[in-house]
């Protein structure tokens, strides 16, 4: 039995962007537009509360509709985590938004979602034109943006949970993607200065190989 849930629309605070597939969908598995947002902990209280309270309301609706049923809850696409990004360890409220490009309904008919709308500082209140979207196909560590997200609960044979669908993305700060690390830490070097002179390794002697 599928239970219809309320729809909640949210706009995130300015957040660090990761795994952004908002121009061209990620086609590794089922084609999806997606983006992960790292909301700074000191700005996360409001949106964390809204999502947590929404989940609690949806669970209450499920139990009201089927009080004797045991529900299997899937992993939620939000929560506090510590994540590595661009050589940095970041503690944040993490939001993982994704939306299917399309599919086939139960009647065998194809359907499609509208792609997320992209905005940036350069174009202001107008969407980024198609001719200018290519540079945002890959977004590098340190990029900052806000997302408009549609939240809705789901239930079915594979469990219950919340889907967060990205409706639009405003890019506040763009860092170009590079396949190579951008700093020494990205290569594993310790960047903290030290006054100690590294000790020379002891030359091996014959007894070092005894066993």
């Amino acid at each position: 039995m599928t239970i219809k849930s309320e729809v909640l629309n949210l706009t995130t605070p300015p957040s660090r962007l990761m795994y952004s597939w908002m121009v061209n969908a990620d086609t590794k598995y089922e084609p999806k537009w997606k983006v992960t947002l790292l909301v700074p902990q000191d700005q996360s209280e409001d949106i964390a509360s809204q999502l947590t309270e929404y989940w609690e309301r949806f669970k209450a609706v499920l139990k009201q509709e089927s009080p004797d049923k045991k529900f299997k809850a899937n992993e939620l696409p939000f929560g506090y985590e510590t994540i590595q990004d661009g050589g940095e360890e970041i503690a944040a409220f993490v939001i993982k938004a994704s939306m299917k490009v399309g599919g086939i309904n139960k009647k065998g008919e194809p359907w499609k979602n509208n792609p997320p709308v992209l905005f940036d500082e350069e174009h202001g209140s107008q969407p980024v034109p198609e001719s200018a979207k290519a540079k945002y196909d890959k977004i590098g560590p340190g990029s900052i943006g806000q997302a408009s997200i549609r939240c809705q609960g789901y239930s079915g044979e594979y469990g219950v949970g919340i889907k967060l669908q990205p409706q639009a993305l405003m890019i506040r700060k763009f860092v170009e993607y590079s396949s190579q690390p951008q700093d020494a830490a990205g290569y594993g070097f310790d960047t903290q200065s030290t006054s100690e002179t590294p000790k020379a390794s002891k030359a091996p002697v014959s007894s070092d190989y005894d066993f």
Side-chain angles (χ1 to χ4, degrees):
M1 177 182 178
T2 300
I3 297 174
K4 188 175 182 180
S5 79
E6 67 171 298
V7 173
L8 177 67
N9 293 302
L10 294 175
T11 300
T12 71
S15 308
R16 190 157 174 155
L17 304 176
M18 288 181 65
Y19 310 126
S20 177
W21 296 83
M22 295 288 278
V23 176
N24 293 306
D26 181 5
T27 58
K28 186 175 181 180
Y29 300 108
E30 186 176 24
K32 290 181 180 181
W33 294 291
K34 58 176 67 173
V35 64
T36 296
L37 299 106
L38 310 185
V39 184
Q41 286 191 335
D42 61 356
Q43 298 176 38
S44 65
E45 182 177 357
D46 183 56
I47 196 164
S49 295
Q50 289 188 71
L51 286 170
T52 301
E53 289 168 7
Y54 179 84
W55 173 231
E56 293 301 321
R57 290 197 302 273
F58 183 54
K59 288 195 296 182
V61 169
L62 292 171
K63 293 304 290 184
Q64 184 178 9
E65 292 289 334
S66 303
D68 298 324
K69 183 177 179 179
K70 293 291 184 181
F71 292 95
K72 177 185 179 297
N74 294 324
E75 183 178 354
L76 294 174
F78 60 84
Y80 286 97
E81 295 182 44
T82 299
I83 286 185
Q84 289 281 346
D85 182 40
E88 295 182 62
E89 190 172 81
I90 302 168
F93 183 73
V94 180
I95 296 173
K96 300 172 183 177
S98 66
M99 180 170 62
K100 294 179 181 179
V101 172
I104 304 294
N105 64 22
K106 292 181 179 179
K107 296 180 180 179
E109 302 167 336
W111 58 268
K112 283 189 176 182
N113 278 316
N114 293 322
V117 183
L118 196 63
F119 297 89
D120 64 10
E121 298 282 305
E122 179 182 352
H123 297 90
S125 62
Q126 298 301 309
V128 176
E130 290 297 324
S131 59
K133 284 184 177 181
K135 80 171 187 177
Y136 296 128
D137 188 31
K138 291 186 177 181
I139 294 178
S143 295
I144 304 295
Q146 290 176 267
S148 173
I149 296 173
R150 183 179 188 272
C151 315
Q152 189 169 19
Y154 65 84
S155 61
E157 60 181 313
Y158 298 110
V160 302
I162 296 177
K163 56 184 177 183
L164 305 180
Q165 297 178 310
Q167 303 298 294
L169 180 69
M170 166 64 86
I171 298 174
R172 299 292 185 184
K173 174 188 173 185
F174 173 67
V175 177
E176 188 174 357
Y177 173 81
S178 173
S179 59
Q180 293 183 321
Q182 299 299 297
D183 56 22
Y187 286 99
F189 296 121
D190 184 357
T191 56
Q192 294 184 349
S193 61
T194 176
S195 58
E196 293 184 7
T197 302
K199 296 179 180 179
S201 299
K202 178 176 71 73
V205 294
S206 59
S207 59
D208 289 336
Y209 300 105
D210 292 344
F211 60 91

